[in-house]
């Protein structure tokens, strides 16, 4: 019985987190690696913690109370957590447990000085390190002091910071238990931290060593600046030696103190280069053992290194698996598709199966390998040009990699990735019938899909879907489709370039594209204004919608005066747009048809902020403004030398833009329409699997890839542990920030704007829709929580087509992600909203309610109050 309360470090390994906590498990694993020295010690197990907690039943009630507290109510969390800590520290350690700990101490040596360290079960995990959330006590001498500090470690599970951290990471306080590690104290000459990957850039080939004199506590607590050594390929490539004025040292009778360092020693390096390289070599061995980059605490004693902790570096973005040792450069798909959130496995695999190019998954996001296109000078220029027009930050990040000269191999132009034989496709005529034909083809294809999928179930459904994905790619890859998209974009670029050159006018095409015909996404926003017109005259309907929470509210509407018309209008809208939602490239996200309450706040804002006929008025105002701009531009061009030719060329391009730019939004609508058909069929199949007892719930299919789900449909067997692991991994991916560009070394590059033409303190971004507007910033991360008033400026992470209904109610737009031709930019121009996208950290740097000024022509945002 006694043995389960105390285990020697040599008896445990990293599989025993539930028994000895994260720190204890990692230390046990470390002690088994050949050549790695770990100070001797033992773990007081989580069984001991449970034994002690059982002495005070009131703690359970307090934890229940804590679980009900609002995560933002810091005062309540502080009060409750302090009460729990006092209770834990006041519990007398049971005799059998005290005896087990005293016996283990005797094995370390009579009077040995020890470090007593917390080791929670939710700690040092691959997804959340919980670093610094619980307590450590150094140089503790004697059994009584050790027991007292073990109790303090147990209590530290309930510090305010630890409780708050667990809340942020979705960890229930009642599921976490505390073990305690007691180790022989090390009195080092120097100590510090080793990261086996660069914690800033993510580069896995670079290790950094932070080092100082005395105990590592001086570095961890921020008492001194460390020496920093950067090691790559077995040599120190940079070193920065700090003036280390203070150190933490152990006292002979126990405890620690700060001491001043002799001025003659302060600027001496704490390690030699050879020692730093040797330490990194040990770190690589530890990294290989745990299978991921590590954050390692080390001590230098008599020229030998001892390791006192190792945990995963949880902030690094994972690297796509390439299956070779070659260098690779990956570009983020999410930044192109305006969706940088993580996707569930079914969503990832469905996008991969229906995409036109191979895609690689990492960290719940998708990436395209552009290495070959960068390697050939001909295709490199084209790639950089397209990327730069879409998002200058992607181009800058790619150029940063290329400037190194040795990462991307150089291929001859005739190699793979070069230009296709015979040049590009022939240009198409400026003819609205082209767009009509393309939309017709897409509608016929989607209708056939809806008709033919109805009878398919089981494995036959998956075989049918694999054929449907071929048709999906065929429609998307239709050369005419690509030509129509490019015709509008290229005409826009031509107008902006030429009118700047000829007239000195920036972003003239922004006005020329106002209210362009046939834009399915802008029509979606305007039609929601029409729905507000139907609802506005009926106060009971408005009042009912203000209290709506249940997704079945459409059926209830018909019972109210005016409710039938309101319901019919909404049903018609959902028939056309119900397949849309935020982050719609992930098939697992709930669609508006599945969750119509999402639209209710937007409709109510429209009822409040607009009068009847607003949609038609708005569209007509935009059309007239574009027409006036066209006449103004053409008349000014005709007054120039060679003006008739310039005006004729500009007129041709204006007609081309207005013919094709609206179609830019249609292919995505076609994709999402098909996705909703796929999803409905897969959820119906999931329902059959639930009824057959194969799945616990329908949504479990979201955590399987399409291929895995196909296997489940055939075998009627599923690995429940796999589903659970995927759910945990998906939760962890939310904490990761996907880079615009990622290398196979793990280096994450987000690019930079190389500009000196913005005022000091302004937030720099990409100008995508001309004009300047000043107003109240509304920082909105969830469309369903929108509460907008006329004149507000929408500030958010990214916008995809589903955000378009909000655009009719705002005066300007600021996003963290986006490019010149991404959806938010296109719709902002359609509605004439000044917009700046690609503003790094906008939702963090701009506070909700602040007054800001958006410079949509010059690409920056000023915070005014």
């Amino acid at each position: 019985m006694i043995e389960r309360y105390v285990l020697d470090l040599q008896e445990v390994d990293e599989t025993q987190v539930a028994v000895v906590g994260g720190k204890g498990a990692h230390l046990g694993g470390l002690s088994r690696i050949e050549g790695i020295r770990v100070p001797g010690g033992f773990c007081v197990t989580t069984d001991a913690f449970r034994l002690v907690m059982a002495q005070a039943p009131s703690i359970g009630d307090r934890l229940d109370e804590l679980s009900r507290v609002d995560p933002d109510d810091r005062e309540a969390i502080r009060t409750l957590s302090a009460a729990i800590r006092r209770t834990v520290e006041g519990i007398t350690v049971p005799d059998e447990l005290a005896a087990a700990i005293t016996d283990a101490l005797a094995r370390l040596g009579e009077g040995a000085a020890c470090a007593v360290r917390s080791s929670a079960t939710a700690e040092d995990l691959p997804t959340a390190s919980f670093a610094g959330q619980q307590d450590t006590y150094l140089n503790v001498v004697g059994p009584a002091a050790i027991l007292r500090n073990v109790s303090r470690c147990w209590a530290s599970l309930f510090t305010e910071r630890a409780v708050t951290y667990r809340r942020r990471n979705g960890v229930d306080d009642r599921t976490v238990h505390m073990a305690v590690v007691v180790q022989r104290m090390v009195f080092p000459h120097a100590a510090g931290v080793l990261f086996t990957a660069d914690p800033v850039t993510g580069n896995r080939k670079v290790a950094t060593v932070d080092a100082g004199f005395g105990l590592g506590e001086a570095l961890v607590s921020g008492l001194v600046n460390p020496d920093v050594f950067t090691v790559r390929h077995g040599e120190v490539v940079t070193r920065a030696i700090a003036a280390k004025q203070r150190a933490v040292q152990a006292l002979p009778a126990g405890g620690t103190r700060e001491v001043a360092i002799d001025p003659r020693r302060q600027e001496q390096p704490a390690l030699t280069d050879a020692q730093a390289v040797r330490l990194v070599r040990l770190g690589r061995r530890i990294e290989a053992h745990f299978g991921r980059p590590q954050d390692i605490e080390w001590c230098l004693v008599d020229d030998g290194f001892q390791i006192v902790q190792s945990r995963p570096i949880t902030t690094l973005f994972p690297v796509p698996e390439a299956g070779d040792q070659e260098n690779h450069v990956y570009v983020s798909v999410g930044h192109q598709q305006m969706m940088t959130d993580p996707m569930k496995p079914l969503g990832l695999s469905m996008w991969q199966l229906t995409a036109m190019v191979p895609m690689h998954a990492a960290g719940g996001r998708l990436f395209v390998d552009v290495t070959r296109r960068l390697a050939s000078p001909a295709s490199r220029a084209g790639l950089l040009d397209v990327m730069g027009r879409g998002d200058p930050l992607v181009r800058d990040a790619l150029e940063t990699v290329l400037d190194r000269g040795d990462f991307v191999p150089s291929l001859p132009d005739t190699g793979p990735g070069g230009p296709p034989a015979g040049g590009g496709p022939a240009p198409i005529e400026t003819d609205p019938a082209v767009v009509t034909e393309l939309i017709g083809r897409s509608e016929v294809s989607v209708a056939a899909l809806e008709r033919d999928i109805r009878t398919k179930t089981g494995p036959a459904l998956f075989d049918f879907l694999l054929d449907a994905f071929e048709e999906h790619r065929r429609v998307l890859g239709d050369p005419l489709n690509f030509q129509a998209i490019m015709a509008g974009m290229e005409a826009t670029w031509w107008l902006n370039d030429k009118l700047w050159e000829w007239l000195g006018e920036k972003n003239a095409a922004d006005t020329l594209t106002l209210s362009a015909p046939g834009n399915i996404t802008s029509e979606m926003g305007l039609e929601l204004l029409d729905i507000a017109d139907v609802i506005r005259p009926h106060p009971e309907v408005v009042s009912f919608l203000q209290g709506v929470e249940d997704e079945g509210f459409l059926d209830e509407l018909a019972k109210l005066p005016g409710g039938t018309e309101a319901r019919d209008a909404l049903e018609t809208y959902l028939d056309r747009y119900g397949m849309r939602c935020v982050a719609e490239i992930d098939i697992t996200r709930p669609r508006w048809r599945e969750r119509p309450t999402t639209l209710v706040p937007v409709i109510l804002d429209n009822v409040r902020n607009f009068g009847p006929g607003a949609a038609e008025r708005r569209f007509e105002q935009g059309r007239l403004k574009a027409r006036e701009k066209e006449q103004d531009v053409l008349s000014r061009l005709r007054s120039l030398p060679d003006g008739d030719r310039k005006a004729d060329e500009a007129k041709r391009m204006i007609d081309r833009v207005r013919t094709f730019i609206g179609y830019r939004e249609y292919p995505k609508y076609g994709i999402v329409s098909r996705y909703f058909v796929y999803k409905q069929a897969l959820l119906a199949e999931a329902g059959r699997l639930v009824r057959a007892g194969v799945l616990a719930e329908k949504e479990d299919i979201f955590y399987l890839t399409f291929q895995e789900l196909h296997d489940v449909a055939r075998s009627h067997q599923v690995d429940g542990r796999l589903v659970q692991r995927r759910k945990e991994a998906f939760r962890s991916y939310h904490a990761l920030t996907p880079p615009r560009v990622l290398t196979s070394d793990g280096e994450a590059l987000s690019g930079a704007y190389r500009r000196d033409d913005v005022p000091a303190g302004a937030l720099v971004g990409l100008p995508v829709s001309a004009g300047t507007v000043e107003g109240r910033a509304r920082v909105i991360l969830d469309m369903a929580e929108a509460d907008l008033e006329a004149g507000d400026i929408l500030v958010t992470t990214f916008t995809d087509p589903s955000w378009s209904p909000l655009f009719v109610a705002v005066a300007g737009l600021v996003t963290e992600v986006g490019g010149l031709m991404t959806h938010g930019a296109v719709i902002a121009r359609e509605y004439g909203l000044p917009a700046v996208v690609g503003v790094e950290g906008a939702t963090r740097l701009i506070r909700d309610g602040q007054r800001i000024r958006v410079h949509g022509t010059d690409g920056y945002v000023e915070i005014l109050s």
Side-chain angles (χ1 to χ4, degrees), residues 87 94 120 207 349 656 710:
T87 304
S349 64
R656 198 162 176 80
H710 193 172

Side-chain angles (χ1 to χ4, degrees), residues 653-702:
M653 287 300 174
I654 291 168
D655 290 346
R656 198 162 176 80
V657 161
R658 295 194 69 79
T659 298
F660 290 115
I661 202 65
Y663 181 71
R664 165 73 180 78
E665 292 293 296
Y666 194 87
K668 182 81 170 280
Y669 175 79
I671 290 170
V672 177
S673 298
R674 300 179 75 88
Y675 261 38
F676 192 39
V677 180
Y678 304 153
K679 182 180 188 180
Q680 289 171 305
L682 289 171
L683 282 174
E685 186 63 25
R688 285 186 279 274
L689 291 167
V690 168
R691 290 191 293 277
V694 178
L695 293 175
E697 53 189 24
K698 287 203 295 187
E699 284 73 21
D700 281 356
I701 68 168
F702 296 161

Side-chain angles (χ1 to χ4, degrees), residues 83 103 118 207 273 314 340 362 460 488 490 495 562 654 756 779 787 833 864:
D103 288 351
S118 307
D273 282 8
T314 58
T340 54
E490 285 167 352
L495 284 166
I654 291 168
D756 53 12
V779 180
D787 181 14
L833 305 178
L864 304 177

Side-chain angles (χ1 to χ4, degrees), residues 158-487:
F158 306 107
T159 62
E160 180 193 352
R161 69 176 184 270
V163 169
T164 303
Y165 189 94
R166 287 196 290 272
R167 287 292 182 84
R168 288 203 189 112
N169 284 276
V171 176
D172 185 339
D173 295 310
R174 290 164 293 194
T175 64
V176 184
H177 299 107
M178 180 68 84
V180 181
V181 176
V182 180
Q183 279 179 289
R184 191 189 302 277
M185 187 68 191
V186 175
F187 302 101
H189 160 71
V193 180
L194 158 66
F195 295 97
T196 64
D198 187 316
V200 177
T201 69
N203 195 324
R204 300 335 193 240
K205 299 280 178 69
V206 173
T208 63
V209 178
D210 291 6
F213 294 124
L215 292 167
E217 196 65 17
L219 302 190
V220 174
S221 65
L223 180 65
V224 296
N225 290 326
D227 297 340
V228 181
F229 300 83
T230 305
V231 179
R232 184 181 179 116
H233 299 317
E235 62 177 308
V236 174
V237 289
T238 66
R239 75 182 65 69
I241 307 304
K244 300 170 288 296
Q245 297 171 344
R246 317 281 297 167
V248 174
Q249 290 187 344
L251 293 167
T256 61
R257 67 171 178 184
E258 286 180 31
V259 296
I261 293 177
D262 184 327
R264 290 168 298 184
R265 281 188 67 213
Q266 284 179 7
E267 297 200 26
Q268 288 181 3
L271 292 179
T272 65
D273 282 8
Q275 286 171 330
V277 168
R278 182 151 49 93
L279 176 60
V280 169
R281 208 173 292 134
L282 294 174
R284 293 287 178 223
R285 200 175 289 177
I286 294 168
E287 178 184 70
H289 176 83
F290 288 119
R292 64 180 65 233
Q294 297 287 302
D295 163 358
I296 297 165
E297 293 179 25
W298 55 269
C299 296
L300 178 65
V301 186
D302 301 328
D303 200 41
F305 288 103
Q306 297 201 33
I307 305 300
V308 294
Q309 186 159 323
S310 184
R311 61 169 78 93
I313 307 176
T314 58
T315 54
L316 298 178
F317 200 87
V319 181
E321 290 180 15
D324 60 36
Q325 298 302 307
E326 303 297 317
N327 288 347
H328 294 271
V329 181
Y330 302 98
V331 170
S332 162
V333 173
H335 285 83
Q336 313 297 310
Q337 290 292 336
M338 295 300 90
M339 209 294 272
T340 54
D341 288 350
M343 295 167 70
K344 296 188 180 87
L346 185 64
L348 287 168
S349 64
M350 292 285 279
W351 195 260
Q352 286 172 307
L353 285 165
T354 52
M356 301 304 291
V357 293
M359 293 185 176
H360 307 264
R365 278 78 168 189
L366 290 169
F367 295 85
V368 172
D369 187 344
V370 296
T371 320
R372 280 192 165 276
R373 291 184 66 187
L374 284 177
S376 164
S379 59
R380 179 190 310 150
L383 177 71
L384 291 175
D385 183 52
V386 169
M387 291 293 174
R389 287 187 182 276
D391 183 345
L393 294 177
V394 173
R395 178 175 184 143
D396 183 79
L398 290 172
E399 287 177 333
T400 301
V401 177
L402 288 168
D403 287 347
R404 300 197 178 134
D406 59 351
F407 191 82
V408 178
S410 200
L411 294 173
D413 283 348
T414 52
I428 55 174
E429 291 299 312
T430 303
D431 181 359
V434 172
V435 172
T436 308
E437 181 187 346
L438 283 165
I439 291 173
R441 288 185 196 177
S442 178
E443 288 174 344
V444 166
S445 178
V446 172
L449 172 68
E450 288 175 329
R451 182 189 66 237
D452 296 342
I453 204 169
R454 286 180 192 140
T455 57
K456 306 296 188 291
T457 60
L461 169 65
F462 291 87
D463 294 336
F464 172 84
L465 281 170
L466 288 170
D467 290 337
F469 299 161
E470 290 294 325
E471 166 68 2
H472 181 123
R473 286 196 299 272
R474 188 195 64 74
V475 171
L476 211 56
D478 182 338
L480 192 62
N481 183 47
F482 180 73
Q483 287 172 293
I485 293 169
M486 291 309 297

Side-chain angles (χ1 to χ4, degrees), residues 556-578:
E556 297 297 311
L557 263 180
K559 300 172 186 174
L560 302 170
T564 303
E565 299 96 289
R567 184 196 62 191
D568 291 350
L570 273 163
E571 285 285 1
T572 301
Y573 188 87
L574 289 170
D575 285 345
R576 190 169 189 212
Y577 302 112

Side-chain angles (χ1 to χ4, degrees), residues 678-735:
Y678 304 153
K679 182 180 188 180
Q680 289 171 305
L682 289 171
L683 282 174
E685 186 63 25
R688 285 186 279 274
L689 291 167
V690 168
R691 290 191 293 277
V694 178
L695 293 175
E697 53 189 24
K698 287 203 295 187
E699 284 73 21
D700 281 356
I701 68 168
F702 296 161
Y703 298 93
L704 300 171
T705 66
F706 179 84
Q707 297 86 341
E708 289 165 346
L709 186 52
H710 193 172
D711 290 340
V712 171
R714 273 196 293 253
S715 67
H716 268 221
Q717 290 183 313
V718 69
D719 182 349
R721 289 166 307 175
L722 173 66
V723 170
Q724 192 54 41
R725 284 199 305 274
R726 294 271 178 80
K727 288 180 179 179
E728 289 164 8
F730 177 71
R731 273 197 297 273
S732 75
Y733 294 151
H734 283 278

